[in-house]
Amino acid sequence: MTVSSGTHDAWAAALRAHGRRVTKQRLAVLAAVEHHPHSPAEAILAAARQELPDLTAQSVYVVLGDLTDLHMLRRFEPPHSPALYETRVGDNHHHAVCISCGRVEDVECAVGHAPCLTPHWGADAKPMTIQIADVLYQGICQDCQRTQQLPSDRN
Amino acid sequence: MTVSSGTHDAWAAALRAHGRRVTKQRLAVLAAVEHHPHSPAEAILAAARQELPDLTAQSVYVVLGDLTDLHMLRRFEPPHSPALYETRVGDNHHHAVCISCGRVEDVECAVGHAPCLTPHWGADAKPMTIQIADVLYQGICQDCQRTQQLPSDRN
DNA sequence: GCACTTATTATGACTGCCTCACAATAAGGC
DNA sequence: GCCTTATTGTGAGGCAGTCATAATAAGTGC
């Protein structure tokens, strides 16, 4: 499997390959994201602090931003949610979020390996060179469907 | 019908149909969004103030949120951008954003009227009942491609 | 047309998520 | 080991949006 490399050594190699230094903070962040996919910065900070108690929130933001730019992490931002991160990069899978509880599930690409990468441009639109297509499904997860409370307003 | 109703009277009727009162503020916000599609709340406020100088930002937020809940407006949130609004609702068109300059273009649905509404769930994923699928294309627009500056980091 | 009810708007304070500027630390090349 | 400079820590700050409450005005019935 798995597109995400997953091991300490692989991450160290990837960091070096991108000209980054291999620090315990960066490895801790990568491990935290690996173990808590679809987590916001705050949760990643909390997880990474279990092994690195002095890690600061700002460092996590810097690291997450940098690793995202390097495509070692993937970031996506569901509506009404802080940005979420995951180590699964390179494939183009998508995400489904429950509009009731916010749960996130991975969704395999429905159209092959480059889904919908050829958009149908409107008459007056100026086409762009598309690089990625993020598909965000929104629905109701099974749990929330059972307990029909719909706890308010996650639009 | 053009999904976006577009006229003062149509909006008034729609507001009443949803049990909302027809105020000049709400009509001004609707007109502003109609004339400035893909605009953030701040720009909508500025536009609406041209005819309603005393309109406040908070009212715009309230109105935009309410009209979005009623599906009279559609909201979407590109990465690193405040929420954008448009009057085109009901169809499921998508959006392409230029990662360099932030320009937004409409994209017709590529797969019919309910694109990718049948996601391929991963082995360990718990399927959800999908209601909508937003597709967000990211690429480089023609203008930015010419001027290869890539003014930094709009990831 | 006029009062009255209550949705809607205005006012002001406030929060969450994240960025910026700069000083302190430590990774990697010599 | 030493040195350079990326990386991290520290603290302040900002944008986008929310919350609580008071003032206003749309729609209703008379």
Side-chain angles (χ1 to χ4, degrees):
Chain A
M1 106 137 195
T2 137
V3 192
S4 49
S5 16
T7 80
H8 179 111
D9 289 351
W11 284 325
L15 285 170
R16 264 186 269 268
H18 287 289
R20 299 302 191 274
R21 292 180 179 172
V22 178
T23 67
K24 46 185 179 297
Q25 289 90 339
R26 280 167 125 88
L27 292 172
V29 167
L30 281 163
V33 177
E34 174 82 2
H35 286 89
H36 304 277
H38 312 141
S39 291
E42 183 179 332
I44 294 164
L45 170 64
R49 270 188 171 159
Q50 302 222 4
E51 52 179 299
L52 229 58
D54 289 338
L55 188 64
T56 64
Q58 289 74 358
S59 295
V60 171
Y61 282 115
V62 170
V63 170
L64 289 175
D66 190 42
L67 297 183
T68 302
D69 289 346
L70 298 179
H71 299 288
M72 291 181 60
L73 293 180
R74 184 168 162 190
R75 165 204 277 140
F76 75 105
E77 309 181 24
H80 309 127
S81 161
L84 306 183
Y85 296 86
E86 62 189 344
T87 51
R88 189 176 162 187
V89 294
D91 67 347
N92 52 0
H93 72 282
H94 306 306
H95 297 106
V97 308
C98 174
I99 59 179
S100 178
C101 70
R103 165 201 295 280
V104 175
E105 297 280 358
D106 280 340
V107 174
E108 304 307 319
C109 173
V111 199
H113 67 297
C116 317
L117 270 190
T118 52
H120 295 196
W121 297 101
D124 52 348
K126 305 208 236 167
M128 301 184 190
T129 304
I130 297 303
Q131 298 184 331
I132 54 179
D134 277 319
V135 182
L136 180 67
Y137 300 91
Q138 300 186 57
I140 309 275
C141 75
Q142 294 176 328
D143 291 350
C144 289
Q145 226 159 357
R146 257 189 293 277
T147 62
Q148 269 290 29
Q149 46 170 355
L150 302 188
S152 80
D153 60 353
R154 274 186 177 265
N155 174 17
Chain B
M1 104 170 211
T2 151
V3 194
S4 50
S5 10
T7 79
H8 179 112
D9 288 350
W11 284 325
L15 284 171
R16 264 186 270 269
H18 287 289
R20 298 303 191 273
R21 293 181 178 172
V22 179
T23 66
K24 45 184 181 297
Q25 290 91 338
R26 279 167 125 88
L27 292 172
V29 167
L30 281 163
V33 177
E34 173 83 1
H35 286 90
H36 305 276
H38 311 142
S39 292
E42 183 180 330
I44 293 164
L45 170 64
R49 271 187 171 159
Q50 301 222 2
E51 53 178 297
L52 229 58
D54 289 338
L55 189 64
T56 65
Q58 288 74 358
S59 294
V60 171
Y61 281 116
V62 170
V63 169
L64 288 175
D66 189 42
L67 296 183
T68 301
D69 289 346
L70 298 180
H71 298 287
M72 291 180 60
L73 293 180
R74 183 168 162 190
R75 164 204 275 139
F76 74 105
E77 309 181 22
H80 308 128
S81 161
L84 306 183
Y85 296 86
E86 62 188 344
T87 50
R88 189 176 161 188
V89 295
D91 67 349
N92 51 1
H93 73 281
H94 306 306
H95 297 106
V97 307
C98 174
I99 58 180
S100 179
C101 69
R103 165 199 296 282
V104 175
E105 297 280 359
D106 279 340
V107 174
E108 304 306 320
C109 174
V111 200
H113 66 296
C116 318
L117 269 190
T118 51
H120 295 197
W121 298 100
D124 51 349
K126 305 205 236 169
M128 301 183 190
T129 303
I130 297 304
Q131 298 183 332
I132 55 180
D134 278 320
V135 183
L136 179 68
Y137 299 90
Q138 300 186 56
I140 309 276
C141 75
Q142 294 175 330
D143 292 350
C144 289
Q145 228 159 357
R146 259 190 293 279
T147 62
Q148 268 292 28
Q149 45 172 358
L150 301 189
S152 80
D153 59 352
R154 270 182 181 270
N155 174 14

